[in-house]
Structure formats: C-alpha cells, structure tokens
Amino acid sequence: SNLNELDDFRKLRRFGLMSFYIATSPEFSWKIDSGWKTNDDECTWYGMTCDNNAVVEISLPSNRLSGTIPPEFALGGLGGKVTVLDLSENSIGGNLPSEIGDFHNLSVLDLKNNAFTGIIPAELKHLTKLISLRLHSNKFEGAMPAEVCSLRDPTAGTLAELSADCDPDDPFDQVTCDAET
C-alpha cells in the first residue's frame, strides 16, 4: 500500500510502531523483522496479530530487541484493541514509559528478562483488564506502585498474576512489594 492511501489513523499507528522498531534496534537488527521495514500492511508484520484490521497482539519474545521503548510506541496500539504485549526475553533497557498505561485493553503485559531500569510507572494502574503482569528479571528499583497492586483487588481489576523481583531474601532484588501482594 502507498503511504498516501493510508488514513491518518493508520499513519499514526504505523509511526508508533516504526518509532518502536527504530528505538529497539539501535545497533543490530531484530532476529526476525519481516514486514517491519516495508510498505506491507502492519497486520502482516512479524509478531503482529490483528482482528478486523485492529492490532490485538504484539508478540516479540526472544527476538533480539535492545535499546529502549519510546513514548510514541503507545500510538502503535491506537484503537485500543491490543490485549497482549509480549516483549519478554530481550535486552530492552531504560525506563518503561508511562505511556504503556495507554494500552487500556491489555490482559497480558510480559516484559520479563529484559534490562529495564528506573521505577515501575504508576500509570500501569490504567490497565484495569490486566490478568498477567510479568516484570521480573529486570533492573527496576523502588516500590511496586500501590496503584498497580490495587489491580489485584477484585473490585478494581482482574490482575491474577503479578511477578516482579520482590524476594526479600534476594540481595539483588531492587523492587519492594507490600506484604499484602
């Protein structure tokens, strides 16, 4: 498809996804990136799953992603239909952008085994449909935001699985969790 034929919605979505691609391949390409640098419909790109032309899943585990996640990545989820975001087992670092909280329909957010640093953004509280949040094996520090822990309250959210590095017996553990969680 020609860029001129894309409506503004698709242009913005593609901009968000390409910003993500560029930011997560600073020194070397992903292991598999078929479609990502082409004019092909983004629903055919590697790791993307669509339903009725809406992105519903972005799944790129163990795919040699590095660099950082740019705030513009949230535009890749335009339409609010993304339910699964799996970037596990990569080498993505830097802060997790608060804009991840804009993926309002996520049920699974899997960022385990990366190199994220800084604090876990409280904006994850907007992910009220989360069932699984995997943040362990990163370099996060500080406390698990109470707003995120509150998603485990059945009246506030559906979060059944929350894994972060919160083991008080682990000397390398940098995230503290409330005893209740």
Side-chain angles (χ1 to χ4, degrees):
S1 64
N2 184 324
L3 198 60
N4 296 328
E5 296 169 12
L6 297 178
D7 59 26
D8 289 344
F9 174 87
R10 293 271 313 278
K11 284 178 184 167
L12 279 171
R13 182 169 80 182
R14 189 170 279 229
F15 171 76
L17 293 169
M18 283 312 301
S19 297
F20 170 72
Y21 178 83
I22 292 164
T24 55
S25 55
E27 295 167 43
F28 40 83
S29 299
W30 295 355
K31 190 162 37 175
I32 304 171
D33 63 0
S34 49
W36 280 80
K37 294 180 285 189
T38 69
N39 284 330
D40 296 351
D41 186 306
E42 51 273 30
C43 290
T44 65
W45 297 356
Y46 179 77
M48 304 287 288
T49 305
C50 291
D51 180 24
N52 205 11
N53 206 29
V55 178
V56 293
E57 184 171 330
I58 301 172
S59 190
L60 297 161
S62 305
N63 201 37
R64 211 167 55 206
L65 279 65
S66 57
T68 58
I69 296 180
E72 296 84 359
F73 180 45
L75 293 171
L78 271 181
K81 301 276 196 275
V82 180
T83 58
V84 175
L85 178 56
D86 182 355
L87 304 176
S88 63
E89 315 279 343
N90 283 293
S91 302
I92 306 168
N95 291 339
L96 183 60
S98 58
E99 288 79 3
I100 289 288
D102 293 344
F103 287 89
H104 291 162
N105 275 305
L106 279 183
S107 59
V108 175
L109 177 57
D110 193 344
L111 302 175
K112 72 178 177 285
N113 285 334
N114 275 286
F116 289 109
T117 56
I119 62 166
I120 295 168
E123 287 79 3
L124 294 184
K125 70 182 178 191
H126 299 301
L127 306 179
T128 56
K129 296 181 178 169
L130 265 188
I131 295 168
S132 175
L133 175 60
R134 299 182 196 120
L135 301 173
H136 60 278
S137 302
N138 279 288
K139 296 174 180 152
F140 288 118
E141 51 193 55
M144 177 65 70
E147 298 90 339
V148 175
C149 295
S150 73
L151 294 176
R152 299 192 68 143
D153 179 336
T155 59
T158 53
L159 189 59
E161 179 191 12
L162 172 60
S163 65
D165 295 318
C166 303
D167 182 354
D169 300 322
D170 180 354
F172 300 104
D173 202 341
Q174 299 300 311
V175 177
T176 55
C177 290
D178 188 303
E180 296 295 305
T181 59

